[in-house]
Amino acid sequence: MIKVKELRRSFGPVVAVDGISFDVGQGEVLGLLGPNGAGKSTAMRMLACFLRPDGGTASVCGYDILQDPIGVRRSLGYLAENSPAYNEMTVGGFLKFICDVREIKGARRRAALDRIVPMCSIESVYHQSIETLSKGYKRRVGLAQALIHDPDVLVLDEPTDGLDPNQKHEVRKLINKMSKDKCIVISTHILEEVEAVCSRTIIISRGKILVDSTPDELKEKYQCSLDAVFRRITKTKSA
Amino acid sequence: MNSFKAVFKRELKSYFTTPLAYVFLVIFLSASAYLTFKDGFYEMRQADMRPFFMNLPLLFIFMVPSTAMRLWAEERRAGSIELLFTLPITVKQAVLGKFFAAWLFLAIALALTFPMAITVCYLGDPDVGLIITGYLGSLLMAGGFLAIGCFFSAVSKNQVISFVLSVLACAILFFAGMPTMLNYLSSFLPAGMVSAVESMSFQAHFESIQKGVLEFKDLSYFILLIIGWVAACVVVLDERKAS
């Protein structure tokens, strides 16, 4: 459902993403791993059509990110790195705005809100303004925003960042539950998360793909924990 | 269309959920009334709104950029632009949604000066047509300033910079048409250039609409000005939304 071909993007002299290609199909949960500044967020922003690539292209659900960015955004749920939102709005008002933009109206909107609010456990802050929320709640509002239209493809940039251990567990359960009929790409620094939710993992560093494998295969091959595998790969190959 | 409406609605609401709208309205209404009476509204012994409309441009040069500066600069600083442009919204829809919401807000501010009109009607028998064209001219001018402010808001991430730049641009466009400025220019520029400057400036167009002369050239001046700056805003934003 996601096809990435030779995607490339640089900011001035810095090459953030250097010709990466991969495919992700339905039922797969892909974990993008990499040290800080490896190009994970840039790659995800290009998938969500926020950044235009310098070269290469990608398609999401058959829509090309260059030809039909609106089609891509319609079929995709995207959670950005710092879960940006309109701080002066209440959680409810914000989610209704998202529904308006995504053309979810009337009974469908009520159903969507009834589904998503308990799912992300944000009932208690529904009438609070977003600027008063803690980081964890903000993140969950961001997640609710990404899931409200029940998209086939999810791109989540560090979905459990800032959540407490219980919430992390909940979000992972949520991702596992959705993974059967969706195509999910997450980026993370937490390697236990990769083991918990990802069916496949790509390690990138300096904009290049170093490894495209599954967590189990990696552990098998290197005979050590994912932590050690990650360190070994990113240190030796990028140095 | 739906995305446009959603952005428009959210934006308009956001004025009233923050103190911004109330601060703006209080200052705008008191300053506009103050300037009117300071210029001898009663001493004129004439029941019309000229002193009121005459002072509006000066007020707008500062007040309109102050509403416009947040439009995009804030969105970029807070990062919510990444949310907005990963939703199924085109840049054009978003820019237009925000622009029209801000314009409607300014129209509300203008409409709230109605006690002025009532006062004039109570005191005498004014030409209602003149009052209506006066308001129309003011609204168009607010739209013009707003389009300029909208553009500069997209240029910089910093609200203060975008405010200063748009005040400057509005002031230049307005004061270039003042008689003193034109006199000065005519001392070294050929007559054709001077009249070009004059017709590029807000001053003459606002003047004639305000006098009750609704001419195609004045209306089209404002409409073209708005379209031009808003289109420039779309282009700039498309280029550098992520930077």
Side-chain angles (χ1 to χ4, degrees), chain B:
Chain B
M1 200 59 207
N2 264 308
S3 322
F4 164 80
K5 262 201 310 218
V7 173
F8 176 81
K9 214 170 82 184
R10 196 207 72 74
E11 193 66 23
L12 193 63
K13 255 197 214 156
S14 84
Y15 281 102
F16 293 95
T17 49
T18 56
L20 183 84
Y22 306 101
V23 172
F24 179 89
L25 287 175
V26 168
I27 295 179
F28 173 72
L29 294 176
S30 43
S32 65
Y34 169 74
L35 288 173
T36 309
F37 288 106
K38 191 194 70 145
D39 276 4
F41 175 70
Y42 288 120
E43 288 82 348
M44 254 184 2
R45 310 198 65 76
Q46 218 176 46
D48 68 20
M49 290 182 69
R50 242 184 108 65
F52 171 76
F53 289 125
M54 283 306 289
N55 283 312
L56 272 186
L58 197 62
L59 208 53
F60 276 169
I61 285 178
F62 294 98
M63 302 291 296
V64 176
S66 73
T67 36
M69 68 180 184
R70 51 178 286 283
L71 286 180
W72 292 106
E74 189 174 79
E75 193 101 23
R76 281 172 54 178
R77 197 189 43 80
S80 50
I81 193 163
E82 186 170 355
L83 172 87
L84 191 65
F85 289 130
T86 50
L87 292 170
I89 298 176
T90 62
V91 177
K92 205 164 81 190
Q93 286 167 337
V95 168
L96 288 177
K98 274 177 177 267
F99 174 77
F100 280 109
W103 203 7
L104 181 63
F105 172 68
L106 290 173
I108 293 171
L110 262 181
L112 285 177
T113 60
F114 70 93
M116 211 60 227
I118 293 178
T119 310
V120 171
C121 289
Y122 175 75
L123 289 174
D125 185 22
D127 184 342
V128 179
L130 263 187
I131 294 180
I132 291 172
T133 55
Y135 271 117
L136 180 72
S138 307
L139 187 63
L140 284 173
M141 195 176 55
F145 284 175
L146 186 66
I148 293 172
C150 188
F151 170 78
F152 283 109
S153 173
V155 167
S156 169
K157 219 184 250 190
N158 187 319
Q159 295 203 28
V160 178
I161 293 177
S162 66
F163 174 75
V164 171
L165 287 178
S166 45
V167 167
L168 192 73
C170 294
I172 289 174
L173 268 179
F174 187 77
F175 288 112
M178 287 299 220
T180 42
M181 190 66 195
L182 292 175
N183 273 340
Y184 170 67
L185 287 179
S186 62
S187 66
F188 59 91
L189 281 181
M193 290 280 272
V194 176
S195 73
V197 170
E198 189 184 1
S199 47
M200 295 258 276
S201 157
F202 277 95
Q203 177 71 12
H205 302 283
F206 177 63
E207 236 352 75
S208 69
I209 294 182
Q210 202 221 110
K211 277 184 190 142
V213 189
L214 268 187
E215 264 188 291
F216 177 70
K217 72 170 175 73
D218 298 324
L219 289 178
S220 58
Y221 168 80
F222 281 109
I223 289 165
L224 281 177
L225 185 95
I226 290 171
I227 292 176
W229 285 96
V230 168
C233 178
V234 173
V235 171
V236 165
L237 214 59
D238 213 13
E239 276 305 308
R240 44 192 305 183
K241 59 188 175 195
S243 63

Side-chain angles (χ1 to χ4, degrees), chain A residues 216-225 228-229 232:
Chain A
D216 292 337
E217 259 178 38
L218 277 180
K219 277 197 293 190
E220 187 95 358
K221 188 172 157 200
Y222 289 84
Q223 289 296 324
C224 54
S225 72
V229 174
R232 210 185 287 174

